[in-house]
Amino acid sequence: MRINYLLGGAIILIMYLFAEPILAFFIDSHETVLIAKNYLYIAFWSYLIFGHTQTVSATMRATGVVLWPTIFLLITIWVVQVPLAFLLSHYTSLELNGVWLAIQSPSASISLCNMHTSS
């Protein structure tokens, strides 16, 4: 997990500092680069949580505990992510940004549930 946080944090920091030039390398339109940068800024930090979640889930599966990570995944997708995406995109001023925020939510939920179960 340390490697996840150190390496992932370093890469995210570099991407934060140089997001526009890196995106401009792949995208011609400046407006599109700004939109992509906005979505990257929303999604970046969830990769650290996602890496943590995958590490804990993989450790649980390696020890033979397969059912609980699967249950947590299904619950967080259908009870947290889908309703949150709908609510944030339809009933707030976030619109499409609400969907991007909701996409990040299951990783945090699964990580918390897995840490509680694995201890």
Side-chain angles (χ1 to χ4, degrees):
M1 278 194 247
R2 285 186 202 130
I3 292 172
N4 171 57
Y5 285 108
L6 290 173
L7 186 60
I11 291 170
I12 289 169
L13 182 63
I14 290 168
M15 287 299 295
Y16 256 106
L17 295 173
F18 303 107
E20 276 194 53
I22 292 170
L23 289 169
F25 184 74
F26 298 101
I27 303 170
D28 293 333
S29 168
H30 184 67
E31 287 180 25
T32 307
V33 167
L34 294 177
I35 292 169
K37 184 174 84 170
N38 182 41
Y39 290 147
L40 283 175
Y41 284 177
I42 292 171
F44 272 153
W45 293 103
S46 69
Y47 288 111
L48 293 178
I49 298 170
F50 181 71
H52 181 102
T53 302
Q54 292 296 9
T55 303
V56 173
S57 292
T59 303
M60 290 177 72
R61 284 190 203 98
T63 61
V65 180
V66 178
L67 184 62
W68 286 110
T70 306
I71 289 171
F72 292 141
L73 176 66
L74 290 172
I75 289 172
T76 54
I77 287 173
W78 291 106
V79 176
V80 178
Q81 184 179 24
V82 172
L84 191 60
F86 181 80
L87 292 172
L88 289 176
S89 64
H90 284 63
Y91 296 106
T92 67
S93 61
L94 294 172
E95 297 174 351
L96 188 57
N97 285 338
V99 173
W100 281 89
L101 288 169
I103 287 172
Q104 314 314 317
S105 61
S107 292
S109 302
I110 294 169
S111 184
L112 292 174
C113 291
N114 283 342
M115 284 190 307
H116 176 68
T117 305
S118 64
S119 55

